[in-house]
Amino acid sequence: MAGTKHHTLNCKGIRWQVLFSLLFAWLCHSVSGQIHYSIVEEMRKDSVIANIAKDLGLDIKQLSSRKLQMVSDISQKFFYLDLNNGNLYVKDRIDRETLCGALATCFLTFDVLAENPLNVFKVNVEIQDINDNSPVFFQDTINLQILESASVGAHFALKNAEDLDIGINSVQTYRLIDNQYFTLTEKVSSDGSKSPELILNKALDREIQNSHELILTALDGGHPGRTGTALITITIKDANDNYPIFRQEIYKVSIKENFPINSTVIIVEATDKDEGSNAQITYSFTKTSGNVHHTGVFSIHPINGYIEVTKLLDFELTKNYDLSIQAVDGGGLTAHTKVLIEVEDENDNAPDIFITSLSSPIAEDSASGTAIALVRVRDKDSGENGDVDCHILEPVPFQLVLLSDNYYRIITTSEMDREKVAFYNIAILASDKGSPSLSSQKKIRLEISDVNDNPPVFMKSNYVTYIPENNVPGVSIYSIQASDPDTGDNAKITYSILNTIKEDILLSSYLSINSETGVLYAQRSFDYEKQKELTIEVTAMDHGSPSLNTSTKLIIHIVDRNDNTPKILYPSPENAGSAVFEMVPFASVPGSLITKVVAVDADSGHNSWLSYHFIQVPEAAYFIIDEYTGEIRTSRFFQEKDILNHKIVAMVKDNGHPPLSATVTLSLAIADNVQQVVPKLSNQATEEDPQTSLQLYLIIALALISLLFIVTVIIVIISKFKESRSLQSFGPLGSTLYPQIEPRMLPQYTNGTLTLPYNFCVALESTEHDFTFIKPNENDINDNAPLFYRDGIIIAVLESTPPGSRFVLQNAEDPDIGINSVQSYKLSDNKHFTLSENLRTDGILYLELVKPLDRETESNHYLILTAIDGGNPVRSGTVLIRINVTDANDHFPVFSQEVYKITINENISIHSTIITVNATDKDEGLFSIHPTKGEIQLEKKLDYEDVKMYELSIQAKDGGDLTVHCKVLVDIIDENDNAPVISVTSLLLAVPEDSESGTVVALINVYDQDSGENGEVDCQIIEKVPFSLLLSSNNYYRLTTTARIDREHQTSYNITVIATDKGFPPLSSRRVITLEVSDVNDNAPMFMKSSYIAYVPENNLPGASIYSMQASDPDTGDNAKITYSIFGTNTDTSSYLSINRETGVIYAYKSFDYEKNNEFIVLVNAKDNGSPFLDCNATLIIRIVDQNDNTPKILYPSTENSGQPGFEMVPFSSEKGSLLTKVIAVDEDSGHNAWLSYYFVQSSEPSHFIINERTGEIRTEHVFQEKDILNYKIVVMVKDNGDPFLSATVTLSLVVADHFQQVIPKLINQLTDEDPQSDLQIYLVIALGLISLLFIVTVIIVIISKCKEAKALPAFDPIHSSLYSHVDPRILSQYSNGTLTLPYSYNVCVALDSSDGEFTYMAPNQNVPVDNLIEADDSGLGMDNLKVSSPNNNELVVSICKT
């Protein structure tokens, strides 16, 4: 209504009527009445309607005093009352259509109020309609689409015009402009409304005129009359009544076979007189069972009809293509054509070269003219492109001889020498005669087999080598090599030594040679002193037939080594190691000759140069020795205070590397006569002999063990070396027993590699070089029935298709030829279709419509098409044709009612069905507002307060664009369907926890869209929270606090506000307000305890954490962020400790030492980051735990005298248990780590002394006797109680004597004689123990190695790895006939003696049980399947048997 056009009219008169009635109510002192006026709309402003004071019977003079006034919200906008004259005036323009719409009557009502006394009068002003609105069509242009096949007399509904006026002023009739195709009629509904309809008077043809424009005029009945017009645009929709037509029935084109891929071969084009989708032609290939070339070679563009090449063409494979093309329009009508493509040959194939026979290798002594290969050449091209010439490129001793058109023979032209050229790569070039010419090459590798025509050759005629004596037996000393330019066995060289006798000794006992490698080995150690040179003759012989050999000489010079120690002739060392005594006159002058050491050396050269030295002389040198002569002379005069008894050790050393030496001991006694020497000789005999004898025994034992160890090592090395040599000899057997053939392929050739048997005739004679080609039998028999590519054919035909229309059918295929192929077709009986009488020249079959179709009568037709060949007997093939009759829009839809009326509640659910309008159409489909059911659904929420009634115009349209219209009137009933709405207009993001009671935190607004009681709302809070709602105005509430808030107790509140209206039933809504409580720094950090104790072991790792202090703060954010710091009670705490400010982890800067500081007291402070900050303190006591890190310290006896033992004198008459001395020690550790205990770790046997474990007191164990040893060395160990324990030792020397004079000689002997002897004995014992241990370990290793070799065969890896190279043992069982005709076993004998240089090959044993042969199982051929036995020392038997 907002768009209604308003017209202002002059009011010619006022017709009014007053209905006055008074009802006196004396108690209320009021008068009530009702007045009715009638005016026309569009009166001018300030027009007088009536004198209301007069009509009410009021005195005009009292109008002001009685406060006469109008009471109305709406009427006051259009009327006003003048109190001066009592007239009612028009205040503003009045438009009836805006106020009341299409209602038949329209009233404006207001109350007139007068006081003193109180009177209320109701005034009704009726607004009458005038013809101020013209008819208006909803659309200025009405678009209609009508199918060109629409039948004459068809009706097409038009949208009626709208007129806001009512009655006679509304639309009364319609008029259409004159035209030859359409007329106009009016359809009157049950409610009296008129709707225009078009009627088709003449058949349409889109191809002649595709659109029509008509003018429709609507006229009302007012005075003056008004009209409205609309343009009707009728678009004629195309009906698919024209078939596509190709420009040519058959297309022919020729292309080269090298035609580029994705290039266009030809463009096929079909035209269709229809338009739109009916004229949209899609091109495609028509597939048949025998014509499938296009699927891989050609493609067709579905829109443009471009035929392109998708793969390379090959004239040799296909010379022409026959493509069936189909054009289909959007309505399913098709047309066919054929494209014949002829491929022209190009020279695109190079000749192919095939080696049909090849003799390789060929002997190097082959005669000239020997045939070595048969070559075949082929070119797939035709004509000159396929003619081929062939020749050899390089200059080689071969030539090509033409045998036939395609065959050549390669023959030798001269003699060959394999030693110069071991093989030939013969390059054959084949060129065709095309333009441009193409060629190809083929290389043949021809191996030249060897003939033994070259003997082995040594590099020199004589060889010289130098070998040091004392070489290790069995070690290689030289390698001599000969070369043979031949190959294979002809080049395999065997070395041998001419076994000559030299000085009654066979050379084979000195030397041996490896027959394969030429490496010489020494059978024994050479001795330069016995043999200084050896000359041998080495022979190299190849394995050719006959064999050739050559010899050379090898001169071996033995090089002397320093292997002989000097031999002392004088003084003679044969007197059981006793020192030789020489008497030196006391009055000797310096330089006097006392004696001379005489020695010789069996070595030669510089190894025999001798020098003489003293290695043990008194501290004050009394004597000197000449380095080169060995003469011993005095160095000064002797004095009375000098020691008169001297023991001198002289060493004779040679000049070898390393040097060898011998020693002799001289005892020089300074005396003037022999009587002075005798007592000293007796003392020497009694005191020195035991020590010297013990040392001699130790040296002998050490030498024997060392010699035994060396011999064992040599034997093991020789044994290993001989084993490796014996196993290497099996190499040829393992490497050539089976060639490298993939055994998995063998079972696949059981019945041949060709699936069908073939007979070949091969001309072995060079004169027979022709092949006979058998021609195929060309006589066809009728053994194939006609076959349709598809099992069923589906054709869609429009029911309006005129008779005579034809539809293409797919031909049947028959692989037979001639009369046996398809000859005729037959269609099953029916009244609508028949086959065309004549086939077109291209062989396409057509189905022709002979009778009109009616889909409403019969929607599907089923026909059987039969293809018949001309063979004998006749064969046929059938296919089912299904014809789907598609609908043509030839019926209008019809509504079941012209006007639908319905009443619904305003709270009806969205998308609920409010009514179903139904229209029927004899054509296919159901058309309604709902796509399938015609249901009218509610799309949005209804609101009684907004709209109380709806008028819906409904249109039904079928698939052919035929339409019909109706109206639906909907009245809305008010319901309490709106729940109150709660909105928060203001809200604090966070409330500080220290907020005062009564603080406003939010402002809430509630409203209800309903009116009356339905819109009155009460609001309250559900939960028990420290908040309340205070009504601020009708719709606003304040949310305030009622008590103090503590964030640490509750961090947030979810306040649920519920609002309930007073409707029936009442509706309510909820709103949850989440209120965060912000933190205030009102809590200080807090430790769990006021003091902590940590135990840290001393010697801790610097930088490691030792403890963690944690404080908690219930605040949040920066108020809860804690920073840690430490304050020590000791001044040096900061140098020992640090703390992580964020985590509270305490670290040690350095290691603690319990002995220095055993406790730290630290004050840890935790401070938050609030403002102002809060903090707290805790005490940390760090106690250092003692570790056993100090060894006991011995105070007495003192250990500071350079390791010398402390001496104590023990009285010989001491009783058992007498206190001799006490070991005093302390430990800096504490606790159990400082508990000390005392033990003997070295004492005499049997023990004469005991030590108290706790006090360290040393006492006698028993009374001493004359036979007891009176000089003791005791080692005391002081051990603490730590874990692990630490200890210290002290050595005590106890001398049993009654007075001090007896102690002095023993002290002197200990300092001079005992120390060197004792040290030497200790070193000898240690060396003896080490050598013995090494010998035992070596023997154990050798035994274990031998045991493992006896169980497994790791030593036979060369055989195992190469015996069956690249053959899977699981395949062996598949060789049912075997590679050996009978089961064999072999004995392999290895000659361990150097004199037996060859193998002995045993005759095969043909009676071995089959169970002992090799069998393959799922586990494969493993190491467990090999057995090794050694029946004697000179034969090694290897057996391969089943386990």
Side-chain angles (χ1 to χ4, degrees), residues 511-536:
L511 301 169
S512 65
I513 191 170
N514 189 308
S515 60
E516 294 183 356
T517 63
V519 177
L520 281 89
Y521 298 90
Q523 297 291 96
R524 61 175 69 180
S525 295
F526 296 109
D527 190 352
Y528 174 82
E529 287 73 27
K530 295 181 180 179
Q531 189 77 30
K532 294 180 174 57
E533 183 179 291
L534 290 175
T535 302
I536 61 174

Side-chain angles (χ1 to χ4, degrees), residues 1233-1282:
N1233 293 330
W1235 298 349
L1236 302 180
S1237 55
Y1238 302 85
Y1239 305 93
F1240 285 149
V1241 295
Q1242 181 179 342
S1243 62
S1244 59
E1245 293 293 339
S1247 177
H1248 297 279
F1249 310 97
I1250 59 175
I1251 187 170
N1252 189 289
E1253 184 179 357
R1254 301 302 178 192
T1255 63
E1257 294 179 348
I1258 299 175
R1259 299 179 181 273
T1260 57
E1261 176 68 18
H1262 55 75
V1263 179
F1264 294 103
Q1265 300 179 5
E1266 293 294 338
K1267 62 181 180 179
D1268 293 335
I1269 301 174
L1270 302 181
N1271 189 8
Y1272 302 93
K1273 183 183 292 184
I1274 299 173
V1275 179
V1276 178
M1277 179 179 69
V1278 183
K1279 182 176 69 174
D1280 59 22
N1281 198 34

Side-chain angles (χ1 to χ4, degrees), residues 446-520:
L446 182 64
E447 301 287 344
I448 309 300
S449 61
D450 185 49
V451 175
N452 192 25
D453 54 351
N454 294 282
V457 177
F458 286 100
M459 294 295 294
K460 303 177 184 177
S461 60
N462 294 316
Y463 292 85
V464 177
T465 183
Y466 296 88
I467 301 172
E469 65 172 334
N470 303 323
N471 56 299
V472 178
V475 177
S476 63
I477 60 174
Y478 197 69
S479 176
I480 191 168
Q481 296 289 331
S483 61
D484 193 323
D486 294 326
T487 185
D489 288 341
N490 296 331
K492 187 175 181 180
I493 300 174
T494 300
Y495 300 90
S496 60
I497 299 175
L498 184 62
N499 194 8
T500 59
I501 300 176
K502 187 175 182 64
E503 297 178 2
D504 298 331
I505 298 177
L506 290 175
L507 285 179
S508 59
S509 64
Y510 277 98
L511 301 169
S512 65
I513 191 170
N514 189 308
S515 60
E516 294 183 356
T517 63
V519 177
L520 281 89

Side-chain angles (χ1 to χ4, degrees), residues 1168-1218:
D1168 60 25
N1169 284 6
S1171 179
F1173 68 85
L1174 302 176
D1175 63 347
C1176 69
N1177 297 325
T1179 303
L1180 173 63
I1181 302 174
I1182 301 175
R1183 293 178 178 170
I1184 311 303
V1185 180
D1186 182 47
Q1187 297 288 316
N1188 190 26
D1189 56 344
N1190 293 284
T1191 57
K1193 183 177 181 181
I1194 300 174
L1195 302 179
Y1196 181 81
S1198 177
T1199 57
E1200 298 177 355
N1201 49 1
S1202 300
Q1204 295 295 331
F1207 281 89
E1208 293 288 343
M1209 188 176 69
V1210 180
F1212 185 81
S1213 59
S1214 298
E1215 297 180 356
K1216 180 180 180 180
S1218 300

Side-chain angles (χ1 to χ4, degrees), residues 1175-1380:
D1175 63 347
C1176 69
N1177 297 325
T1179 303
L1180 173 63
I1181 302 174
I1182 301 175
R1183 293 178 178 170
I1184 311 303
V1185 180
D1186 182 47
Q1187 297 288 316
N1188 190 26
D1189 56 344
N1190 293 284
T1191 57
K1193 183 177 181 181
I1194 300 174
L1195 302 179
Y1196 181 81
S1198 177
T1199 57
E1200 298 177 355
N1201 49 1
S1202 300
Q1204 295 295 331
F1207 281 89
E1208 293 288 343
M1209 188 176 69
V1210 180
F1212 185 81
S1213 59
S1214 298
E1215 297 180 356
K1216 180 180 180 180
S1218 300
L1219 177 62
L1220 303 180
T1221 186
K1222 181 178 181 179
V1223 178
I1224 302 174
V1226 294
D1227 195 317
E1228 294 183 359
D1229 295 321
S1230 63
H1232 63 278
N1233 293 330
W1235 298 349
L1236 302 180
S1237 55
Y1238 302 85
Y1239 305 93
F1240 285 149
V1241 295
Q1242 181 179 342
S1243 62
S1244 59
E1245 293 293 339
S1247 177
H1248 297 279
F1249 310 97
I1250 59 175
I1251 187 170
N1252 189 289
E1253 184 179 357
R1254 301 302 178 192
T1255 63
E1257 294 179 348
I1258 299 175
R1259 299 179 181 273
T1260 57
E1261 176 68 18
H1262 55 75
V1263 179
F1264 294 103
Q1265 300 179 5
E1266 293 294 338
K1267 62 181 180 179
D1268 293 335
I1269 301 174
L1270 302 181
N1271 189 8
Y1272 302 93
K1273 183 183 292 184
I1274 299 173
V1275 179
V1276 178
M1277 179 179 69
V1278 183
K1279 182 176 69 174
D1280 59 22
N1281 198 34
D1283 184 21
F1285 66 85
L1286 301 176
S1287 63
T1289 59
V1290 64
T1291 303
L1292 296 175
S1293 181
L1294 303 180
V1295 179
V1296 181
D1298 288 330
H1299 50 84
F1300 189 74
Q1301 287 75 8
Q1302 297 177 350
V1303 179
I1304 294 175
K1306 297 177 181 179
L1307 292 175
I1308 296 174
N1309 290 333
Q1310 178 177 348
L1311 293 174
T1312 57
D1313 297 336
E1314 291 181 0
D1315 285 345
Q1317 296 295 338
S1318 177
D1319 293 341
L1320 180 60
Q1321 292 175 8
I1322 292 174
Y1323 297 152
L1324 289 174
V1325 171
I1326 292 173
L1328 181 61
L1330 291 176
I1331 294 298
S1332 301
L1333 178 61
L1334 187 60
F1335 171 72
I1336 293 172
V1337 171
T1338 304
V1339 172
I1340 292 173
I1341 293 174
V1342 171
I1343 293 173
I1344 293 174
S1345 175
K1346 289 295 182 180
C1347 291
K1348 288 185 177 179
E1349 291 175 357
K1351 293 180 180 180
L1353 283 177
F1356 291 90
D1357 285 343
I1359 301 178
H1360 181 268
S1361 62
S1362 61
L1363 187 57
Y1364 297 94
S1365 60
H1366 298 281
V1367 177
D1368 190 343
R1370 291 191 295 270
I1371 324 284
L1372 295 177
S1373 60
Q1374 300 179 10
Y1375 299 98
S1376 55
N1377 296 327
T1379 56
L1380 299 176

Side-chain angles (χ1 to χ4, degrees), residues 1006-1138:
V1006 293
Y1007 65 94
D1008 195 318
Q1009 293 182 358
D1010 296 324
S1011 59
E1013 290 186 353
N1014 295 335
E1016 296 180 6
V1017 182
D1018 289 333
C1019 195
Q1020 59 182 341
I1021 298 175
I1022 298 178
E1023 298 91 350
K1024 186 178 180 180
V1025 291
F1027 300 95
S1028 65
L1029 284 173
L1030 298 178
L1031 182 61
S1032 179
S1033 63
N1034 291 335
N1035 297 324
Y1036 287 90
Y1037 291 84
R1038 288 181 300 169
L1039 182 63
T1040 62
T1041 59
T1042 59
R1044 290 292 296 266
I1045 306 172
D1046 188 1
R1047 191 206 64 81
E1048 288 71 34
H1049 180 263
Q1050 188 167 352
T1051 59
S1052 64
Y1053 291 92
N1054 289 323
I1055 305 171
T1056 304
V1057 178
I1058 183 169
T1060 308
D1061 62 20
K1062 297 181 181 181
F1064 182 79
L1067 299 178
S1068 62
S1069 61
R1070 296 187 179 190
R1071 175 72 180 266
V1072 178
I1073 301 174
T1074 301
L1075 190 62
E1076 299 290 338
V1077 181
S1078 62
D1079 184 50
V1080 175
N1081 192 23
D1082 54 351
N1083 294 280
M1086 181 179 297
F1087 287 99
M1088 295 294 293
K1089 296 185 289 186
S1090 60
S1091 63
Y1092 296 82
I1093 299 177
Y1095 294 91
V1096 181
E1098 65 173 333
N1099 304 321
N1100 57 299
L1101 186 64
S1105 62
I1106 60 174
Y1107 200 69
S1108 178
M1109 296 283 288
Q1110 295 292 331
S1112 60
D1113 193 324
D1115 293 326
T1116 185
D1118 288 339
N1119 296 331
K1121 188 175 181 181
I1122 301 175
T1123 302
Y1124 299 91
S1125 59
I1126 58 174
F1127 305 94
T1129 58
N1130 306 63
T1131 57
D1132 58 347
T1133 301
S1134 60
S1135 64
Y1136 279 91
L1137 301 171
S1138 67

